[in-house]
Amino acid sequence: MYTHEVRWFVLLPLAVILGVVQVFLEVGDVWFGFPARPDWLWILAFVATLRTTPVEAIGAFALCGLTRDLFLGPRLGSGTFAFVLIGWVAIHWRLLATTRGWLFQILIAALSAFLVALVRHGLDYGWLTYKLMERWFFVSMADGLLTGVGYLPLALVLGLSSFRPWKTQSSF
């Protein structure tokens, strides 16, 4: 089942590039004040870990979560914690994603991105969480939906040989 290894020397620059692009999109007001955003770093971590061992997968989720915190997060550690926590859930769901095709990959990426956004927004808002619960829930749902929409184009780009964040394991 574990037929790939994460190429860390490719994953780290890709995570930094995606973080910088997301910062430029925020500064350039591309979203026109819309509160939801696709989580490209979650897609990167999810695609990189579809067929890797659980230890490498959690490392990739932690790396992408930390990169997200450094570039976009209001609180350092909230994105990393959310990525690692929901990364464990995504590790258990990835068998469905790898065997059922693109539709299940998009569905699982969107659902897990929704859960990541729920945890991340809850940690970011802290004591205000109970007052903002319905808005927080709908923004997280929109984040998951936009991540599902952006999954296929980004997964196709990450499938190109120069951007591929995984490599096939060599067997002796």
Side-chain angles (χ1 to χ4, degrees):
M1 177 177 161
Y2 305 124
T3 58
H4 294 90
E5 295 174 350
V6 175
R7 292 189 331 184
W8 298 102
F9 62 91
V10 174
L11 184 67
L12 181 63
L14 279 175
V16 170
I17 288 169
L18 285 177
V20 169
V21 166
Q22 284 185 328
V23 167
F24 280 127
L25 290 176
E26 289 289 326
V27 171
D29 198 29
V30 172
W31 302 107
F32 303 112
F34 189 65
R37 312 283 189 270
D39 203 346
W40 293 346
L41 289 165
W42 177 258
I43 295 171
L44 174 65
F46 186 73
V47 167
T49 61
L50 276 177
R51 292 186 180 150
T52 60
T53 62
V55 174
E56 282 187 331
I58 288 300
F61 284 123
L63 175 75
C64 289
L66 182 63
T67 305
R68 190 192 189 297
D69 282 341
L70 291 175
F71 284 104
L72 298 168
R75 291 189 182 189
L76 189 62
S78 64
T80 306
F81 181 74
F83 271 55
V84 169
L85 181 68
I86 305 304
W88 280 111
V89 175
I91 286 172
H92 293 291
W93 288 345
R94 70 182 174 180
L95 181 61
L96 281 173
T98 57
T99 58
R100 306 286 178 153
W102 286 100
L103 186 61
F104 273 87
Q105 286 181 16
I106 292 169
L107 181 68
I108 290 172
L111 182 62
S112 57
F114 163 69
L115 294 174
V116 165
L118 273 176
V119 172
R120 189 174 40 81
H121 288 311
L123 291 173
D124 286 343
Y125 294 136
W127 292 105
L128 291 175
T129 300
Y130 72 95
K131 292 181 181 179
L132 302 172
M133 189 69 80
E134 65 212 19
R135 293 182 185 140
W136 174 61
F137 181 78
F138 287 116
V139 167
S140 297
M141 207 159 48
D143 283 345
L145 183 66
L146 287 174
T147 302
V149 168
Y151 178 80
L152 191 59
L154 190 58
L156 290 175
V157 169
L158 292 174
L160 298 174
S161 62
S162 58
F163 296 116
R164 192 173 298 149
W166 68 86
K167 67 178 179 177
T168 304
Q169 285 182 343
S170 59
S171 59
F172 301 22

